[in-house]
Amino acid sequence: MEHGVKLNIQSTLWKWKEYCQAVFTLSHGDSKMTTTKECLETLPAIVACKILSYLDWREKLSFCKNVVPDWTQHLYSSNSWTNFIFRENILGLENNGGMGVENYYEEIPTYSDEKNLILEFGKYFQSCLIDFETSGGLQIFNEIGEHAVNLKYIQIFHSPVLFYCPPAILEYYYSCLGKLVSNCKKLHHLSMCRLDELSADEVEMKGYFFSRIIDIGIIEQITGLDFSMDSSYVTPINILTHFKNLQTLKTTFCTVTTDIMRCLGKQNLKELYLVKDNRKVGRDFQEIAWESLAVQDNIKLDVHFIFQDTRIYVKDFPPNPFVKSIVFNRMVGSVSRDILRAIAAYYGQTLETYAHFSMKYVTLHPYEDMESLPCDYYYFASQCVKLQTFISSVPLPSEAVWCLAMKGNCLKSLCVTGNNLLFNYNVCLPFPASMKRGGMTKEFLSSEVSSFLGLNWTFLSEDEMLEKKASLLHAC
């Protein structure tokens, strides 16, 4: 199936999802919705299941009960449960009074609705995201391991609160983890996020969790590890080399070395996400011999750089033949022309995605020289010959977008929000007479970019940009 056809189908299904949500909102006691419901009832089962898969589990149940009862049968299909999400917030539990940390052991939520749901539909779950902060959340984790026997993927986000739990609570967690892996024979991806929150050994914090999961015998099944954001790890974690089936690793740049990367790369590692944030450490990206890993060790790897809450310097971008994407988020300082040129010079033959989302302080300029930015991106796009995706939610001269679209020969996705574009900015680049006569407008830019990219291009909404950001940052 062609890529464009896939996108059209996906877009259509998303429209159906929004349509169904609107129907649900308007349907209570409204006799005028009869025709709409009849239309939904005639949809093929595979389409109905796909639409249901986009809905939260509460929306699924409510929709089938109150809008289209005939769709209840589709709840007993794995196609309707492509992802089950459970999150709790200890400071704001919706159904349990919003207890604080001080009441952690006095009021443990039971989540009876979630338990009943997992008991009835758990065997149809394909993937799951669970983010828990109390023993009530651990109960849900236990239910998942007990009943979601056909689960193929699970992503677990650990809470800082677990760090303060009694040993019995932690042991219960490890018991749940062991049960999950033992019962779910189809589980092929176990992603463990914020792992350092479970570290109970002050002397060697990074060792405790890893040694425990080795003890309970699940290390062979872990293919995804994530302990990058707000992590306390500032030294290399050599025990990572024990994860022989690890395919995806997301961590801070200071936790890996050339030797660790060599070992993981020769095993099964395919994707490496390296995060640089505002912690004070004495190491940087340059300390890993990337070129040696590629040439001498013949490692095949996709590397993604994520810069979060930090300043960046030219030295942060050493030669690296593996780099596929670079993401800036909540930057403390501006991006200079030298940085853009370093990225183009060192990663021009491999870079596929570039994204710049936000500044930590709104008064800061995202780029040092906004006037020359169209020229800089003209050069950037001409050198990054494999660039497919460019995303920006920071202020940009509209002429910079025009240059990117014109010179990005492989560009397929150019995502910007209209509110952040600067029109008729004082830029140092000559433009065609047609542009000068009418001036740069949203309509003109949309038309020009559509022509360059060969598609009907328009600006992203703020919500759409948030989805792009969550996707690239793997946000919880």
Side-chain angles (χ1 to χ4, degrees):
M1 186 181 294
E2 293 295 328
H3 180 69
V5 176
K6 285 184 179 179
L7 289 178
N8 289 334
I9 293 175
Q10 189 80 348
S11 175
T12 301
L13 287 169
W14 269 103
K15 289 178 181 177
W16 268 109
K17 173 212 169 184
E18 294 171 355
Y19 175 61
C20 289
Q21 288 175 325
V23 171
F24 175 60
T25 302
L26 298 171
S27 64
H28 299 286
D30 191 345
S31 59
K32 295 181 181 180
M33 301 307 297
T34 302
T35 303
T36 303
K37 294 177 185 178
E38 291 176 350
C39 174
L40 293 173
E41 289 170 355
T42 61
L43 286 176
I46 191 171
V47 176
C49 289
K50 189 66 175 179
I51 294 171
L52 286 174
S53 72
Y54 286 117
L55 304 178
D56 174 77
W57 66 269
R58 294 179 181 83
E59 293 176 327
K60 287 189 203 339
L61 299 183
S62 296
F63 191 85
C64 293
K65 177 181 178 181
N66 301 311
V67 182
V68 190
D70 281 0
W71 278 24
T72 301
Q73 61 182 319
H74 300 317
L75 293 176
Y76 298 90
S77 168
S78 60
N79 292 325
S80 298
W81 297 94
T82 53
N83 194 23
F84 170 74
I85 298 176
F86 172 81
R87 288 190 177 100
E88 64 177 357
N89 183 348
I90 195 169
L91 298 178
L93 294 169
E94 294 180 3
N95 301 319
N96 297 282
M99 64 181 182
V101 175
E102 66 278 2
N103 297 319
Y104 180 75
Y105 303 111
E106 299 176 10
E107 302 178 43
I108 301 299
T110 58
Y111 295 107
S112 57
D113 290 343
E114 287 86 343
K115 286 184 177 181
N116 291 334
L117 176 87
I118 295 169
L119 179 63
E120 184 169 3
F121 300 109
K123 64 182 178 181
Y124 302 109
F125 292 178
Q126 293 188 48
S127 68
C128 174
L129 182 151
I130 180 167
D131 183 6
F132 54 88
E133 298 200 3
T134 73
S135 292
L138 275 176
Q139 293 171 22
I140 296 300
F141 186 27
N142 182 65
E143 295 294 323
I144 291 289
E146 184 75 30
H147 301 291
V149 294
N150 292 306
L151 202 65
K152 298 177 181 177
Y153 173 92
I154 188 168
Q155 190 172 27
I156 305 168
F157 286 84
H158 303 92
S159 165
V161 177
L162 287 173
F163 179 83
Y164 302 101
C165 288
I169 298 293
L170 283 177
E171 285 306 311
Y172 180 48
Y173 162 78
Y174 292 120
S175 174
C176 293
L177 192 58
K179 177 187 290 187
L180 174 80
V181 175
S182 176
N183 290 347
C184 304
K185 302 299 184 183
K186 297 181 180 179
L187 191 67
H188 60 78
H189 189 110
L190 178 58
S191 183
M192 314 293 288
C193 305
R194 300 198 298 251
L195 294 186
D196 53 315
E197 307 300 358
L198 290 180
S199 301
D201 184 351
E202 293 183 0
V203 178
E204 191 179 356
M205 295 182 68
K206 58 182 175 292
Y208 183 75
F209 173 84
F210 296 120
S211 63
R212 287 296 287 116
I213 61 175
I214 290 174
D215 290 342
I216 61 178
I218 68 168
I219 192 171
E220 293 80 10
Q221 207 155 337
I222 295 179
T223 61
L225 284 175
D226 180 343
F227 51 107
S228 51
M229 298 299 182
D230 302 318
S231 171
S232 58
Y233 298 145
V234 294
T235 57
I237 303 177
N238 295 313
I239 204 170
L240 283 172
T241 58
H242 290 246
F243 292 76
K244 299 186 183 301
N245 293 314
L246 193 63
Q247 297 179 16
T248 303
L249 173 63
K250 185 177 179 185
T251 182
T252 50
F253 72 96
C254 52
T255 61
V256 293
T257 63
T258 301
D259 289 339
I260 292 174
M261 293 314 308
R262 179 180 294 111
C263 184
L264 291 174
K266 288 183 176 180
Q267 292 172 170
N268 285 289
L269 192 67
K270 302 293 188 298
E271 299 274 347
L272 174 66
Y273 294 84
L274 286 179
V275 178
K276 182 177 181 182
D277 52 26
N278 59 2
R279 74 194 64 213
K280 297 291 189 296
V281 294
R283 303 181 64 242
D284 55 47
F285 287 129
Q286 290 179 314
E287 294 189 18
I288 298 179
W290 300 109
E291 292 181 304
S292 175
L293 291 173
V295 177
Q296 298 179 16
D297 298 293
N298 198 29
I299 301 295
K300 306 295 182 184
L301 188 66
D302 289 345
V303 174
H304 310 272
F305 287 161
I306 298 175
F307 296 87
Q308 171 103 352
D309 294 305
T310 188
R311 294 182 183 275
I312 55 173
Y313 307 93
V314 174
K315 68 178 183 179
D316 291 323
F317 303 95
N320 185 332
F322 303 115
V323 172
K324 293 293 184 180
S325 72
I326 295 174
V327 178
F328 299 136
N329 188 47
R330 289 174 53 82
M331 302 306 295
V332 176
S334 303
V335 177
S336 68
R337 174 187 291 184
D338 290 339
I339 288 173
L340 284 177
R341 289 184 174 269
I343 293 173
Y346 293 136
Y347 317 132
Q349 299 300 312
T350 61
L351 188 67
E352 297 178 359
T353 299
Y354 176 91
H356 192 165
F357 285 116
S358 62
M359 306 302 293
K360 189 165 185 177
Y361 307 106
V362 295
T363 55
L364 291 177
H365 287 293
Y367 296 93
E368 285 187 357
D369 190 348
M370 297 289 282
E371 286 79 9
S372 72
L373 200 57
C375 297
D376 297 334
Y377 271 132
Y378 183 97
Y379 173 80
F380 182 88
S382 67
Q383 297 300 304
C384 295
V385 295
K386 293 188 178 180
L387 187 68
Q388 299 180 23
T389 302
F390 180 93
I391 304 174
S392 176
S393 58
V394 297
L396 279 181
S398 56
E399 291 82 0
V401 177
W402 187 85
C403 288
L404 279 163
M406 179 178 65
K407 293 300 294 181
N409 294 329
C410 290
L411 204 60
K412 297 178 181 178
S413 181
L414 179 54
C415 305
V416 296
T417 52
N419 293 339
N420 283 315
L421 283 189
L422 308 173
F423 287 89
N424 298 311
Y425 201 70
N426 183 26
V427 299
C428 59
L429 186 71
F431 289 99
S434 59
M435 183 183 296
K436 290 181 178 179
R437 284 196 299 270
M440 179 70 84
T441 63
K442 284 189 176 182
E443 293 75 18
F444 182 86
L445 181 63
S446 181
S447 173
E448 288 285 289
V449 175
S450 296
S451 175
F452 290 137
L453 300 185
L455 49 80
N456 187 19
W457 183 86
T458 188
F459 307 98
L460 263 63
S461 67
E462 296 294 336
D463 287 342
E464 289 172 326
M465 183 60 74
L466 286 176
E467 288 183 7
K468 295 285 186 183
K469 180 177 180 179
S471 175
L472 281 179
L473 293 176
H474 306 265
C476 173

